Amino acid sequence: PGLALPTDIKLALLFGFTLMLTGITTFAILQMRGIGAGALKGMRRLRIPERRLARIESLSNEIDAQLSDFYRLRRTDLVRAVGAHVCAFGCSALRALLILEWLQLGFDPKAALGIEAFSVLLALVSFAVPASLGVQEGGTVLIFLALGLPYSAAMATGIAFRLTSLIKIAVGLVVLILLQHRFGKPSDPTGGWKLFHSLRRKPS
């Protein structure tokens, strides 16, 4: 209610959030029930050659088995994963709070939380945009102006967010390369499965 945004933008964001929440929930339910069978039925209607369908079916059955195993036997890991994402959100909100403080805009945890929540919402709604190019920066400017913060601070914060994203990507790629060399060569098509099974704990 405290955001100085037009009503149509507020309604559009609410609609986008509701749509994404419904889609994510539906996808999770489909994962628990198995997505391979339904996908194959749709592919057969498209008249895809049976030779390719057989290969896709074997892979989809294996994926469905892994997903079913995860949801049934590794619920603790699922809770931990959700908790890790919540902690990451908290760290991002802390990042926004520090940036506001460094830009001498005051210590405002509510504004920092709103900035991060708005950024996450825009990232979800605009997932089709590669790397959220332009959307992330534009969203930062929009939320800053809605909170009554200066435009220059919004641009500085948007650049800082983009730089931290690039750093996270670089660190992730380095870690992925190290794990591939440890569990299987990149040219080995089974390396990914070796890595998956090595990280996967067997239920007691």
Side-chain angles (χ1 to χ4, degrees):
L3 293 178
L5 288 174
T7 303
D8 55 348
I9 294 181
K10 289 184 179 181
L11 292 176
L13 291 172
L14 178 61
F15 176 76
F17 172 75
T18 305
L19 187 63
M20 289 301 302
L21 180 62
T22 303
I24 292 172
T25 303
T26 303
F27 188 63
I29 294 174
L30 290 176
Q31 283 184 330
M32 288 185 284
R33 294 184 178 181
I35 59 178
L40 287 172
K41 289 181 180 179
M43 291 179 184
R44 285 195 170 90
R45 292 178 181 177
L46 296 175
R47 298 181 179 179
I48 296 178
E50 286 295 332
R51 181 178 56 184
R52 293 185 179 180
L53 284 177
R55 174 62 176 168
I56 294 174
E57 184 175 10
S58 63
L59 291 174
S60 63
N61 288 338
E62 187 171 2
I63 292 173
D64 282 344
Q66 296 288 348
L67 289 173
S68 176
D69 178 47
F70 178 80
Y71 282 110
R72 287 187 301 105
L73 304 176
R74 301 179 61 198
R75 294 178 181 175
T76 303
D77 289 338
L78 177 61
V79 172
R80 288 175 179 173
V82 174
H85 279 281
V86 173
C87 290
F89 177 83
C91 291
S92 297
L94 178 61
R95 173 190 62 177
L97 181 63
L98 291 175
I99 291 176
L100 290 177
E101 182 73 15
W102 293 336
L103 293 174
Q104 299 181 355
L105 296 176
F107 185 83
D108 194 343
K110 184 178 179 180
L113 185 63
I115 291 169
E116 181 57 27
F118 196 80
S119 300
V120 173
L121 175 59
L122 283 180
L124 281 174
V125 175
S126 61
F127 68 95
V129 180
S132 296
L133 291 176
V135 177
Q136 178 176 305
E137 291 76 12
T140 303
V141 172
L142 182 62
I143 186 62
F144 265 63
L145 295 180
L147 291 171
L149 299 173
Y151 178 83
S152 57
M155 292 301 298
T157 303
I159 294 173
F161 282 6
R162 179 63 62 183
L163 289 175
T164 54
S165 298
L166 293 175
I167 292 173
K168 287 190 293 184
I169 292 173
V171 172
L173 287 175
V174 171
V175 172
L176 177 62
I177 292 172
L178 293 176
L179 288 174
Q180 285 181 330
H181 282 287
R182 180 178 178 182
F183 294 101
K185 296 180 180 179
S187 58
D188 183 4
T190 63
W193 286 108
K194 291 178 181 178
L195 173 61
F196 174 80
H197 287 294
S198 64
L199 298 176
R200 176 171 173 263
R201 295 200 312 270
K202 295 182 178 179
S204 57

